[in-house]
Structure formats: structure tokens, C-alpha cells
Amino acid sequence: MKKIIEEYLVYLKVERGMSINTINAYSGDIHKFLDYLEKHAIVTFDDITRTDLKQYLNLLHQQNLSNTSCARNVAALKSLFKFLYIE
């Protein structure tokens, strides 16, 4: 999964033209999500369910993240899954 994330981050820079700050923020958000998946024994993107995503987003809210941070996490995940679908 980490190789795919590296490709995704290059995609954000080259294809989407995102700023380095946005890429760094998305990278941090995605890596937190990967840590969550690892803790729940999910080893491939194909194994992720809607329930997994809902539970992860609930966890973010429980951590008292600001609405802006939660929205950025959602945007990062949405962008990642769109990238995965295209690839």
C-alpha cells in the first residue's frame, strides 16, 4: 500500500498541481489512515469497507479535531480513492 501512496503523492503534485503544504497535509492524513487500517488488520485497499471508513471518521471526530481538519481528512481520502479507481 505504501508504494501506491507514493504514486498518489506524485499524482497530487504533477497531475493536480497541489501545493507542497497541501500535499504534506494529505500525506499526514493518509498515513494516519494507513496506521488505522494496520491496527485493524486491513492490508489491502480492496479489503476496506464502508463501515471501516465510517468508523475511522467517527474516530477523527472523537479526537476533537476541528471541522476543517476533519474536512481535509475526508478530502484526502476521497482524492485517494478516486486515484485508486482511475488507476
Side-chain angles (χ1 to χ4, degrees), residues 19-30 32 72-73 76:
S19 73
I20 194 70
N21 289 338
T22 302
I23 293 169
N24 287 339
Y26 274 33
S27 176
D29 296 340
I30 297 298
K32 282 191 287 187
R72 190 195 61 233
N73 272 271

Side-chain angles (χ1 to χ4, degrees), residues 49-63:
T49 66
R50 282 181 186 238
T51 302
D52 296 323
L53 290 171
K54 287 179 183 179
Q55 289 175 346
Y56 179 69
L57 295 176
N58 284 333
L59 177 66
L60 293 179
H61 286 290
Q62 290 171 2
Q63 294 174 345

Side-chain angles (χ1 to χ4, degrees):
M1 282 199 293
K2 292 188 181 200
K3 183 178 184 215
I4 292 171
I5 298 304
E6 290 173 18
E7 292 173 10
Y8 167 68
L9 296 174
V10 169
Y11 161 80
L12 292 179
K13 182 178 182 182
V14 175
E15 299 291 326
R16 301 269 316 270
M18 289 187 167
S19 73
I20 194 70
N21 289 338
T22 302
I23 293 169
N24 287 339
Y26 274 33
S27 176
D29 296 340
I30 297 298
H31 282 93
K32 282 191 287 187
F33 181 60
L34 292 179
D35 290 343
Y36 172 84
L37 295 176
E38 189 175 298
K39 288 176 185 171
H40 290 85
I42 299 169
V43 294
T44 70
F45 289 112
D46 291 334
D47 295 335
I48 300 169
T49 66
R50 282 181 186 238
T51 302
D52 296 323
L53 290 171
K54 287 179 183 179
Q55 289 175 346
Y56 179 69
L57 295 176
N58 284 333
L59 177 66
L60 293 179
H61 286 290
Q62 290 171 2
Q63 294 174 345
N64 293 322
L65 292 179
S66 69
N67 289 338
T68 304
S69 293
C70 287
R72 190 195 61 233
N73 272 271
V74 169
L77 292 174
K78 240 173 132 175
S79 175
L80 171 63
F81 284 106
K82 183 177 179 181
F83 171 79
L84 292 171
Y85 181 76
I86 292 169
E87 294 298 309

